[in-house]
Amino acid sequence: PGLTAQATFDVNEDIAAPYLNTGARPRMAILREQGVNGQLEMAASFDRAGFEAVDVHMNDLRHGHVKLEDFTGLVACGGFSYGDVLGAGEGWAKSILFNERVRNSFQAFFERMDTFTLGVCNGCQMLSAVKALIPGAALWPRFVGNRSEQFEARFSLVQIQESPSILLRGMAGSHMPVVVSHGEGRAEFPLGGYDQLNQAGLAAMHFVDHELQTATRYPENPNGSVQGLTAISSLDGRVTAMMPHPERVYRTNQWSWSPASYGEFSPWMKLFCNGRAWLD
């Protein structure tokens, strides 16, 4: 009850956007590490948005088989990297930070003004742990264990806030259900850190209850993050990190119920289309 969806936009207009007919398919790196299991849904989401989705394992980058400089988009996927325990995303981050060649390639990618990045679940944790490499991410939190002290797999309600995020452009004010599936999704800040992030406009998405009020209690707020925070943006909007899984709900047949007016795609499809539109 209460998991209603209301979008402030029409996703069908984005699916039919002219850029999908140009034939140009920018290369999108679908990045995964050991244990990640969400790469196929993520690849399908970006493929339908007009990208050439390319499977990239961290070993490909470590051994130089693939170079980030050949991509304009990067998404760090989620799903049990390093067993999803004891700082799963931070383990992934250390494999970047402690390898000079890999670290330099990520930093160069983040600093290029023609690129965008998305991190979901473990990918969100990883990006927050390498924030020193990301311009405009200094205020980001780290993600630690849920207050429930257990893994949370739910269909939760979120509301999208105004933020610089290029992937959430035109979506502010919408409230939609989304899959959450994590054991370490609580945003942890130093004293006053959340207020600084929020005042900078970088708090991009919050959990809300059935009355669309900020979810401060469990289970509407499944991980215990302050003010239900569950997505963040860099200052210029080119990097977005979130704990929920939009790739698992981008089609309506992934929902138990959806308004008939939605057709094949749910409003979450706009997130992926926004990336393609931004590149144009």
Side-chain angles (χ1 to χ4, degrees):
L3 288 184
T4 58
Q6 180 174 335
T8 59
F9 53 88
D10 183 357
V11 73
N12 294 304
E13 295 178 359
D14 294 275
I15 298 299
Y19 57 77
L20 291 182
N21 297 321
T22 63
R25 297 182 69 86
R27 302 187 82 214
M28 185 80 195
I30 312 297
L31 183 66
R32 60 189 175 94
E33 179 57 298
Q34 59 169 303
V36 163
N37 61 21
Q39 72 274 12
L40 294 182
E41 299 100 323
M42 193 68 77
S45 304
F46 279 105
D47 177 82
R48 294 304 297 270
F51 288 88
E52 178 190 351
V54 180
D55 179 47
V56 179
H57 193 281
M58 282 297 298
N59 283 339
D60 296 323
L61 300 178
R62 294 186 191 106
H63 300 307
H65 301 318
V66 176
K67 297 180 180 180
L68 290 181
E69 65 190 54
D70 295 330
F71 298 90
T72 52
L74 166 69
V75 54
C77 303
F80 305 106
S81 69
Y82 290 88
D84 203 39
V85 294
L86 302 177
E90 294 198 4
W92 186 352
K94 287 177 173 60
S95 73
I96 295 170
L97 296 174
F98 297 157
N99 182 311
E100 184 177 4
R101 180 172 65 180
V102 175
R103 176 191 175 107
N104 290 341
S105 68
F106 272 87
Q107 184 167 5
F109 182 88
F110 294 140
E111 291 178 350
R112 279 173 46 201
M113 298 304 294
D114 65 337
T115 68
F116 73 90
T117 303
L118 171 64
V120 168
C121 195
N122 291 146
C124 171
Q125 298 165 346
M126 181 273 281
L127 288 181
S128 74
V130 300
K131 66 182 182 181
L133 308 181
I134 302 173
L139 297 177
W140 283 10
R142 63 189 294 255
F143 290 86
V144 299
N146 301 336
R147 288 206 182 279
S148 65
E149 298 185 353
Q150 63 185 6
F151 181 83
E152 297 289 340
R154 297 182 177 276
F155 201 40
S156 297
L157 191 63
V158 296
Q159 188 168 61
I160 299 172
Q161 312 298 315
E162 288 285 358
S163 77
S165 171
I166 64 106
L167 295 178
L168 298 175
R169 186 171 295 171
M171 299 174 69
S174 300
H175 60 273
M176 299 177 289
V178 67
V179 169
V180 296
S181 183
H182 56 253
E184 299 178 336
R186 178 167 58 90
E188 181 181 70
F189 291 91
L191 184 64
Y194 171 79
D195 291 336
Q196 294 180 47
L197 180 90
N198 194 41
Q199 289 167 10
L202 306 184
M205 188 188 304
H206 295 83
F207 291 112
V208 292
D209 61 23
H210 67 282
E211 295 180 342
L212 304 186
Q213 299 301 306
T214 299
T216 57
R217 297 184 301 179
Y218 181 85
E220 289 86 357
N221 181 335
N223 53 44
S225 288
V226 59
Q227 295 299 306
L229 179 71
T230 193
I232 49 183
S233 170
S234 63
L235 280 170
D236 66 4
R238 291 188 301 108
V239 185
T240 305
M242 63 181 64
M243 288 308 300
H245 289 267
E247 78 282 5
R248 296 184 183 177
V249 286
Y250 82 100
R251 298 185 68 197
T252 52
N253 64 9
Q254 295 171 301
W255 296 31
S256 58
W257 176 89
S258 63
S261 60
Y262 281 1
E264 179 182 358
F265 296 102
S266 85
W268 285 109
M269 188 63 198
K270 182 172 174 63
L271 181 151
F272 305 100
C273 291
N274 274 343
R276 182 65 186 86
W278 180 78
L279 289 176
D280 279 357

